[in-house]
Amino acid sequence: MQLDLPLASRTDPVTSHAAADKAASFKARQISLIFCCLQDYGPATYRELAARLQMEPVAIARRGAEMRRNGLISMGPDMRDGCQIWRAV
C-alpha cells in the first residue's frame, strides 16, 4: 500500500528522513492491524478497535480517513456510542 503524503521533504536532514521511513512502516503496520481486526471480528467503532488492539483511540482514528480514501474500509452511516461504525471492504 502506498501512503499519501511524504513524511520528510527533500531538504530535511538525514535524521528526518530516517524518522520518516520508520513512521511510514509504523503507519502501514497500524493500518494492517486495524484492517485484520475488522475482517476477523466484524464492524466496530474506532474506540472498540482501540480496546481490542490495545492502542490509543487517537492512533486508530488517525488511520480512518486514510483507510477510507484507499478503499479499505467504509464508515457509517450507522453509529454506536456516538461513533461511526467501520467495516472492512
Side-chain angles (χ1 to χ4, degrees):
M1 170 189 333
Q2 185 173 352
L3 300 175
D4 297 324
L5 299 172
L7 300 173
S9 70
R10 188 171 28 96
T11 58
D12 285 347
V14 172
T15 54
S16 292
H17 286 275
D21 289 342
K22 185 176 180 181
S25 68
F26 188 73
K27 230 169 122 169
R29 185 176 187 287
Q30 286 181 335
I31 288 170
S32 178
L33 288 170
I34 294 165
F35 186 73
C36 288
C37 188
L38 288 170
Q39 284 185 315
D40 291 347
Y41 297 101
T45 68
Y46 79 93
R47 289 180 183 151
E48 293 165 347
L49 289 165
R52 187 171 299 270
L53 294 169
Q54 297 181 352
M55 294 171 60
E56 291 295 322
V58 69
I60 302 292
R62 286 182 181 146
R63 304 286 80 88
E66 182 176 7
M67 292 178 74
R68 186 171 57 188
R69 271 194 315 274
N70 288 318
L72 297 172
I73 64 169
S74 64
M75 294 177 166
D78 47 335
M79 299 179 78
R80 187 165 41 239
D81 297 327
C83 300
Q84 289 182 323
I85 296 177
W86 298 13
R87 289 175 179 76
V89 175

